[in-house]
Amino acid sequence: ENRMILEKEYGIPPHRILYSPIGTDLSIFNYDPKARDRLRNEEMLAGEAVVLLYTGKMNHRKNPHLILEAVSLIQQQIQIPLYLYFVGAGDQQYFQERMKIRFNRENIYIKFVPAVPVSELFAWYSMADFAVFPDENTLSALDAQACRLPVIMQEDLTNTERLSRGGLTYIPGDIKDLSEKILLMINDPHRRKALGQKGEAHIRSAYDYGKIVEKMELDLGL
């Protein structure tokens, strides 16, 4: 998207544009099986339980309520325990207006967790089975994949590139499509595992801040 703007709006020749992606800090974000087991034990999650995770602000820009709306469409099709975790600070007005959706199924649970330090997020990504960031772009998608966590996001150029190995995209504004992608993740542990492993490898190869900085220094002749 940035390349398109530079070429079309500013008229910069393509050979003058170097690629320097936003990345993630792999010294912080890594999959940790011990942290997974510890958190799931602390949260008293059943062995077969599936955890859908959202991290970040809860406001009208990020629209995490879309997750609740999507799950409400498929709640009758969910047969195993599903836990929806929302980790982060919430705008109170938004929270009161949009995050009060509840389900009529006893096997679907919702928990809100206050914002945690960045250094602790790897444990939550390790504990979960997949993440959903329903609106806009977010660096959390890279952090999550670095922790072997598959991700669902809306389809656009940036998200499609970032999730090319480790996630699924849905049609923007199409809650039914989002719900179908969520149900697919819930019911297919083999797909989750494959996406998690491929996503982690891709992030380590293409989005490691250490490697990005090294390449930038070479491009600048430093």
Side-chain angles (χ1 to χ4, degrees), residues 33-88:
K34 292 182 179 178
R36 175 182 174 87
D37 292 341
R38 175 179 57 79
L39 260 183
R40 290 177 79 97
N41 287 333
E42 290 176 0
E43 297 294 319
M44 295 183 290
L45 303 181
E48 73 277 15
V50 172
V51 175
L52 183 165
L53 177 69
Y54 170 87
T55 62
K57 295 179 180 178
M58 285 176 271
N59 56 32
H60 288 285
R61 290 186 60 189
K62 298 298 184 179
N63 289 320
H65 75 277
L66 296 176
I67 297 171
L68 300 178
E69 291 186 2
V71 172
S72 70
L73 295 180
I74 56 173
Q75 57 181 309
Q76 300 302 326
Q77 299 169 258
I78 299 173
Q79 304 300 319
I80 58 179
L82 174 67
Y83 290 80
L84 309 178
Y85 276 79
F86 295 85
V87 179

Side-chain angles (χ1 to χ4, degrees), residues 68 82-86 95 99-103 108-112:
L68 300 178
L82 174 67
Y83 290 80
L84 309 178
Y85 276 79
F86 295 85
F95 192 89
M99 299 299 291
K100 295 296 186 179
I101 298 174
R102 295 297 180 264
F103 310 105
I108 303 177
Y109 310 88
I110 304 172
K111 184 166 183 177
F112 299 100

